[in-house]
Amino acid sequence: MSLAVKSIKSLAPLLDRVLVQRIKAETKTAGGIFLPESAVKELNEAKVLAVGPGGLDKEGKRVQVSVQPGDKVLIPQYGGSPIKVGDEEYSLFRDHELLAKINE
Amino acid sequence: MSLAVKSIKSLAPLLDRVLVQRIKAETKTAGGIFLPESAVKELNEAKVLAVGPGGLDKEGKRVQVSVQPGDKVLIPQYGGSPIKVGDEEYSLFRDHELLAKINE
Amino acid sequence: MSLAVKSIKSLAPLLDRVLVQRIKAETKTAGGIFLPESAVKELNEAKVLAVGPGGLDKEGKRVQVSVQPGDKVLIPQYGGSPIKVGDEEYSLFRDHELLAKINE
Amino acid sequence: MSLAVKSIKSLAPLLDRVLVQRIKAETKTAGGIFLPESAVKELNEAKVLAVGPGGLDKEGKRVQVSVQPGDKVLIPQYGGSPIKVGDEEYSLFRDHELLAKINE
Amino acid sequence: MSLAVKSIKSLAPLLDRVLVQRIKAETKTAGGIFLPESAVKELNEAKVLAVGPGGLDKEGKRVQVSVQPGDKVLIPQYGGSPIKVGDEEYSLFRDHELLAKINE
Amino acid sequence: MSLAVKSIKSLAPLLDRVLVQRIKAETKTAGGIFLPESAVKELNEAKVLAVGPGGLDKEGKRVQVSVQPGDKVLIPQYGGSPIKVGDEEYSLFRDHELLAKINE
Amino acid sequence: MSLAVKSIKSLAPLLDRVLVQRIKAETKTAGGIFLPESAVKELNEAKVLAVGPGGLDKEGKRVQVSVQPGDKVLIPQYGGSPIKVGDEEYSLFRDHELLAKINE
């Protein structure tokens, strides 16, 4: 889905949605040699850019999402809503679809 | 679905439904040159025209929808009920189907 | 489904059901010229004829339906139970299936 | 399903089930002329013969069914459990499957 | 499913399960003439042999089943778990699958 | 699923799971004559070896399972997770999948 | 799913997820003879490396997971999200998918 917004920062996820950007795998070796595209593995690590206010539980109270902007997370292999702003790609996930936080 | 109503303004969404109109992509460049149709990307941005009073939770209380008329929103790639009034096209979504608000 | 009842008025919807009749599109132009059948668009506007007493929530309380007899409503493209009395056609929808009220 | 019971009256529906018998369409005209079988329309009107004590809600309380023995009801096109006693055919529906009461 | 138990009486259904035995249709006429097998209709009447203690509702309380040992019931056309002890066949149904009690 | 554990006794089922071992059918007659394999009927009787602490209800309280180690139970024809330790086969069922207790 | 993290220890499962590593079957006999690959049975035993803080029940309270880091568990034949860090493979399961604890 292409968006005409000037910056991804104008996107405020609704309910329990989390906006993430996949972390790109290295395309050159430590020694500076560029890797052929087939050798670059797609990673399932992503950076959280923005989070929704949380979904509503059965009593109408907000359930805060599990992650915060800046967190690094493990995202599932499939799923999420892809978004494209300019040449950059992003995804929106429901909070419960995120698998793990990555602490470094 | 074609409607014979004179104005889209006569439509009042029920429950948690949200009436939106997709924002049209630019069909000419900044310099005024018209783009061929294949170069015009379909956008998933829409403007909220009207919102329902909200669905009912398990205790019969109204759950207010997350957006307001005038908001710009990111809509999902698929889904929604298409409506046509005259030559204009609109869609009805359930509140929880909307992905994000777009702040500008 | 054909019914042998003398009048549609003898039908009292149960629970959260709403009895509607689709509004017929104009078959002649404002100037009085009859339109060929292919030019008559099927509309998704309907008039509410009767409503049920409402479904029951988890605590056994009635949840009133969102519309009243006389209301004009936007019905979904598919769904509903068709009913035929004489030559007239009607439909029964669940309250939550109705998309919007049409105020004029 | 054939039953060896002597009378349909020995059947007491369980929970929210409703025992009905479809009302037969006229097979001769008002003037006494018999209609060919193809001209006899199948009706979806049925008479309620017996009702169950009602299902149980989440707190274990009985939820009374919406109809009473003697009521005339509109039944859905499909569904229900067919029962045969002698040459007569009956059906068992869940209460919420019945579409409307027919008042005459 | 074959069982090696000596008697069906050793079977105690769990939760909301009901153990029944289908009532056999007459295989000879009132006058004592044996009917050919194709003329013997399969009946959906069954006798209740044993009932479970009832399932648990959302608060952990037992929900008593609707029938008692000795009751005659109408069973659905399909479903149930078949059990064989010696040459006799039995079935286990969930309580809510039973359609009606047969009072005689 | 093969397990490298030394004894099946080291397995402690989680939540509402029940560990059972199917009871083997007799492979010789009372008189001591061995039955050909095709004459040995597979039985659906099993012995309970271990039970989980119970699942959690909606309020977070443990719901005790319906059976105890040592109980003989009727298991369903299909389902369960097969486990193999050495040459012996076992199964894990959810408590509500067990059909009946067998009292002898 | 490949991860670029330096150590699996940087992974903190979210909600009720449990990070495990399958225990490898012996590839040589007790006497030190290497087994051909076809003779090495895949085991469904796994070691728990990390657990999430627990999912949320309907009242928003954390439901602690059933296992702890260091526990040995029986994992189901299918399911789980595979993760690869370097040459090592791991899996993430929901707590209720784990079948049994293995006590040794």
Side-chain angles (χ1 to χ4, degrees):
Chain A
M1 306 194 304
S2 287
L3 285 186
V5 294
K6 287 194 203 85
S7 160
I8 189 69
K9 286 189 185 139
S10 45
L11 229 62
L14 289 167
L15 296 170
D16 63 341
R17 287 187 182 83
V18 176
L19 178 68
V20 304
Q21 183 171 28
R22 195 184 280 260
I23 291 165
K24 280 155 194 148
E26 294 297 327
T27 54
K28 51 183 181 177
T29 64
I33 297 163
F34 278 88
L35 289 162
E37 204 164 299
S38 63
V40 178
K41 286 179 295 185
E42 178 150 285
L43 296 180
N44 286 292
E45 292 172 53
K47 198 169 178 181
V48 175
L49 301 184
V51 301
L56 296 163
D57 71 9
K58 304 237 156 172
E59 266 122 50
K61 277 179 292 180
R62 290 272 170 207
V63 180
Q64 236 188 310
V65 299
S66 317
V67 294
Q68 295 181 355
D71 281 353
K72 255 176 87 178
V73 291
L74 181 64
I75 54 174
Q77 190 84 11
Y78 302 105
S81 303
I83 300 168
K84 205 169 173 180
V85 175
D87 287 340
E88 294 290 314
E89 289 180 12
Y90 305 90
S91 289
L92 275 166
F93 284 93
R94 319 291 306 247
D95 180 49
H96 69 262
E97 293 171 339
L98 301 174
L99 297 173
K101 243 193 261 199
I102 301 171
N103 303 314
E104 274 171 321
Chain B
M1 308 194 304
S2 286
L3 285 185
V5 294
K6 286 194 204 85
S7 160
I8 188 70
K9 287 188 184 139
S10 44
L11 228 62
L14 288 167
L15 296 170
D16 63 341
R17 287 188 182 81
V18 176
L19 178 69
V20 304
Q21 184 171 28
R22 197 185 279 259
I23 291 166
K24 281 154 193 149
E26 294 297 327
T27 55
K28 51 182 181 178
T29 65
I33 297 163
F34 278 88
L35 288 161
E37 205 163 300
S38 62
V40 179
K41 286 177 296 185
E42 179 150 283
L43 296 180
N44 286 293
E45 292 172 53
K47 199 169 178 180
V48 175
L49 301 184
V51 302
L56 296 163
D57 71 9
K58 304 235 156 173
E59 266 122 49
K61 277 179 291 180
R62 290 271 171 208
V63 180
Q64 236 187 311
V65 299
S66 317
V67 294
Q68 295 181 356
D71 281 353
K72 256 176 86 177
V73 290
L74 181 64
I75 54 173
Q77 190 84 10
Y78 301 104
S81 303
I83 301 167
K84 206 170 173 179
V85 175
D87 287 340
E88 295 290 314
E89 289 180 12
Y90 306 91
S91 288
L92 275 166
F93 284 93
R94 319 291 306 247
D95 180 49
H96 69 262
E97 293 172 339
L98 301 174
L99 297 173
K101 243 194 260 198
I102 300 171
N103 303 315
E104 274 172 320
Chain C
M1 309 194 305
S2 286
L3 285 186
V5 294
K6 286 194 204 85
S7 160
I8 188 69
K9 287 188 184 140
S10 43
L11 228 63
L14 288 167
L15 295 171
D16 64 341
R17 286 188 184 82
V18 175
L19 178 68
V20 304
Q21 183 171 29
R22 197 185 280 259
I23 291 165
K24 280 155 193 147
E26 294 297 328
T27 55
K28 52 181 179 176
T29 65
I33 297 162
F34 278 88
L35 287 162
E37 204 163 300
S38 62
V40 179
K41 288 178 296 186
E42 180 150 282
L43 296 181
N44 285 294
E45 292 172 52
K47 199 170 178 179
V48 175
L49 301 183
V51 301
L56 296 164
D57 70 10
K58 305 235 155 171
E59 265 122 49
K61 278 179 292 181
R62 290 272 172 208
V63 180
Q64 236 187 310
V65 299
S66 317
V67 294
Q68 295 181 355
D71 281 353
K72 255 175 87 177
V73 290
L74 181 64
I75 54 174
Q77 191 84 11
Y78 302 104
S81 303
I83 301 166
K84 206 170 173 179
V85 175
D87 287 341
E88 294 291 315
E89 289 180 10
Y90 305 90
S91 288
L92 274 166
F93 284 93
R94 319 292 306 249
D95 179 50
H96 68 263
E97 293 172 338
L98 301 173
L99 297 173
K101 243 195 259 198
I102 301 171
N103 303 314
E104 274 172 321
Chain D
M1 307 195 305
S2 286
L3 286 185
V5 294
K6 287 195 203 85
S7 160
I8 188 69
K9 286 188 184 140
S10 44
L11 228 63
L14 287 167
L15 295 171
D16 64 341
R17 287 188 183 81
V18 176
L19 178 69
V20 304
Q21 183 171 30
R22 197 183 279 259
I23 292 165
K24 280 156 193 147
E26 294 297 328
T27 54
K28 52 181 179 177
T29 65
I33 296 162
F34 278 88
L35 287 162
E37 203 164 300
S38 62
V40 179
K41 286 177 297 187
E42 179 149 283
L43 295 180
N44 285 294
E45 291 172 54
K47 200 171 178 178
V48 175
L49 301 183
V51 301
L56 295 164
D57 71 10
K58 304 236 154 172
E59 265 121 51
K61 279 179 291 181
R62 290 271 172 208
V63 180
Q64 236 188 310
V65 299
S66 317
V67 294
Q68 296 180 356
D71 281 352
K72 255 175 86 177
V73 290
L74 180 65
I75 54 174
Q77 191 84 10
Y78 302 104
S81 302
I83 301 166
K84 206 169 173 179
V85 175
D87 287 339
E88 294 290 314
E89 290 180 10
Y90 305 90
S91 288
L92 274 166
F93 284 94
R94 318 294 306 249
D95 180 50
H96 68 262
E97 293 172 338
L98 301 173
L99 297 173
K101 243 194 259 198
I102 300 171
N103 304 314
E104 273 172 321
Chain E
M1 307 196 306
S2 286
L3 286 185
V5 295
K6 287 195 203 83
S7 160
I8 188 70
K9 286 188 184 138
S10 45
L11 229 61
L14 288 168
L15 295 171
D16 63 341
R17 288 189 180 81
V18 176
L19 177 69
V20 304
Q21 183 171 30
R22 198 183 278 261
I23 291 165
K24 280 155 193 147
E26 294 296 329
T27 53
K28 53 182 179 176
T29 65
I33 297 163
F34 278 88
L35 287 162
E37 204 164 299
S38 63
V40 178
K41 286 178 297 187
E42 179 149 283
L43 295 179
N44 286 293
E45 291 172 54
K47 200 171 178 177
V48 175
L49 301 183
V51 301
L56 295 164
D57 70 10
K58 304 237 155 173
E59 265 121 51
K61 278 179 292 182
R62 290 272 172 209
V63 180
Q64 235 187 312
V65 300
S66 317
V67 294
Q68 296 180 356
D71 281 352
K72 255 176 85 177
V73 291
L74 180 64
I75 54 174
Q77 192 82 12
Y78 302 104
S81 302
I83 300 166
K84 205 170 174 179
V85 176
D87 287 338
E88 293 291 315
E89 289 180 10
Y90 305 90
S91 288
L92 274 166
F93 285 94
R94 319 292 305 248
D95 181 48
H96 68 262
E97 293 173 338
L98 301 174
L99 297 173
K101 243 194 261 199
I102 300 171
N103 304 313
E104 273 172 322
Chain F
M1 307 195 306
S2 286
L3 286 186
V5 294
K6 286 193 203 85
S7 160
I8 188 70
K9 284 186 186 142
S10 45
L11 230 60
L14 287 167
L15 295 171
D16 63 341
R17 288 189 180 80
V18 176
L19 178 69
V20 304
Q21 184 171 30
R22 198 184 278 260
I23 290 164
K24 281 156 194 149
E26 294 295 329
T27 54
K28 53 182 179 175
T29 64
I33 297 163
F34 278 88
L35 286 162
E37 204 164 301
S38 63
V40 179
K41 287 178 297 186
E42 178 149 285
L43 295 179
N44 287 292
E45 291 172 54
K47 199 169 177 179
V48 175
L49 301 184
V51 301
L56 295 163
D57 71 10
K58 304 236 157 175
E59 266 122 51
K61 277 179 292 180
R62 291 271 171 208
V63 180
Q64 235 187 311
V65 300
S66 316
V67 294
Q68 295 180 356
D71 281 352
K72 255 175 86 179
V73 292
L74 180 64
I75 55 174
Q77 191 82 14
Y78 302 105
S81 302
I83 300 167
K84 206 169 173 179
V85 176
D87 287 339
E88 294 291 314
E89 289 180 10
Y90 305 91
S91 288
L92 274 166
F93 285 93
R94 319 293 305 248
D95 179 49
H96 68 262
E97 293 171 339
L98 301 174
L99 297 172
K101 243 193 260 199
I102 301 171
N103 304 314
E104 272 171 323
Chain G
M1 306 195 304
S2 286
L3 285 186
V5 294
K6 287 193 204 85
S7 160
I8 189 69
K9 284 187 187 141
S10 45
L11 229 61
L14 288 167
L15 296 171
D16 63 340
R17 287 187 181 83
V18 176
L19 178 69
V20 304
Q21 183 171 29
R22 197 184 279 260
I23 291 165
K24 281 155 194 148
E26 294 297 328
T27 53
K28 52 183 180 176
T29 64
I33 297 162
F34 279 89
L35 287 162
E37 203 164 301
S38 62
V40 178
K41 286 178 297 184
E42 178 149 286
L43 295 180
N44 286 292
E45 291 172 55
K47 198 168 178 179
V48 176
L49 301 184
V51 301
L56 296 163
D57 71 8
K58 304 237 157 172
E59 266 122 50
K61 276 179 292 180
R62 291 272 169 206
V63 181
Q64 237 188 310
V65 300
S66 317
V67 294
Q68 295 180 356
D71 281 353
K72 255 176 87 179
V73 291
L74 181 63
I75 54 174
Q77 190 83 12
Y78 302 104
S81 303
I83 300 168
K84 205 169 172 179
V85 175
D87 287 340
E88 293 292 313
E89 288 180 11
Y90 305 91
S91 289
L92 275 166
F93 284 94
R94 319 291 307 249
D95 180 49
H96 69 263
E97 293 172 339
L98 302 174
L99 297 172
K101 242 194 262 199
I102 301 172
N103 303 315
E104 274 171 321

